[in-house]
Amino acid sequence: MKIALMDSGIGLLSATAAVRRLRPDADLVLSLDPDGMPWGPRTPEDLTGRALAVAEAAAAHRPAALIVGCNTATVHALDALRARLEPGLPVIGTVPAIKPAAAGGGPIAIWATPATTGSPYQRGLIRDFADGVPVTEVPCWGLAEAVEHADEAAIDAAVAAAAALTPDEVTTVVLGCTHYELVAERIRAAVQRPGRPPLVLHGSAGAVAAQALRRIGAQPAPEAPADGTLTVILSGRESGPLPAPALAYDEGRLLQTAASPVQ
């Protein structure tokens, strides 16, 4: 079994680690775009073009499924990716976990990039899945970029700034950017208020990994031999190990140690 994941940067690590935990025997192909990142400030047309190039580099390895491990790319490029690659290659997008978060009743905060916060896309998800639930949209200035570069001071500053915009009564935080899942516990510590019930965080990585397996008719097998390989592609070029900042996170270290051999 071979599963590919794509993103502009290391935000895909959370979903990749989730796939690895469900199927440690799966060969993984990671296609990143360091030459074009960040994708967020790009026009939708430019972003879609770069996403298609990154996806086709992954598709050349003939995976059984392709996960778009990026909320921004899902918003702007998912239709184009599916039009180009399906039905031969199932494409799975990443959507903020607003629906399961709203099931808990809230109040909810949705942490997302400034470009996504307040967007028609996110407002539509809130309308469709969180109608009647108190929701605060929180723009997280600089957080994705800080996580991408494993800049500890910048991560702390960005998390603190977003936490200051999060109402005290919030019980649930939706992590609306895949990068944020890499620092989930820092976010929890910053938002948790003394005397309040434990904060609930909702990411997308586990659901996306499970959906990828469903799309190809595979079952989770966490007890399978951990012999899956890892191939890394950077802006269409075959690379070696994961980018160095990836190893600052548990998910990156898991992939480095679990993959045998790294290609």
Side-chain angles (χ1 to χ4, degrees), residues 31-122:
S31 187
L32 290 72
D33 187 28
D35 293 356
M37 68 173 300
W39 283 352
R42 293 182 175 274
T43 66
E45 295 77 15
D46 189 20
L47 187 156
T48 297
R50 296 209 70 94
L52 286 168
V54 168
E56 289 176 341
H61 288 257
R62 304 181 65 83
L66 172 65
I67 293 172
V68 184
C70 173
N71 297 90
T72 301
T74 298
V75 171
H76 295 295
L78 185 62
D79 289 345
L81 291 166
R82 285 178 167 165
R84 179 75 58 87
L85 299 172
E86 291 189 343
L89 176 60
V91 180
I92 297 92
T94 299
V95 177
I98 294 172
K99 183 177 181 179
I108 297 169
I110 303 173
W111 284 34
T113 64
T116 299
T117 300
S119 66
Y121 164 76
Q122 183 159 290

Side-chain angles (χ1 to χ4, degrees), residues 1 3-5 15 18-19 22-23 64-68 74 78 82 86 89-95 203-220:
M1 181 191 304
I3 295 176
L5 298 96
V19 173
L22 290 176
R23 289 302 299 249
L66 172 65
I67 293 172
V68 184
T74 298
L78 185 62
R82 285 178 167 165
E86 291 189 343
L89 176 60
V91 180
I92 297 92
T94 299
V95 177
S204 303
V208 167
Q211 175 66 3
L213 294 184
R214 283 193 292 269
R215 287 288 303 274
I216 63 176
Q219 296 295 321

Side-chain angles (χ1 to χ4, degrees), residues 170-171 192-193 195-200:
V170 159
T171 62
Q192 180 69 59
R193 306 300 190 232
R196 300 283 298 174
L199 186 73
V200 178

Side-chain angles (χ1 to χ4, degrees), residues 216-233:
I216 63 176
Q219 296 295 321
E223 73 288 347
D227 55 5
T229 61
L230 183 67
T231 300
V232 180
I233 306 167

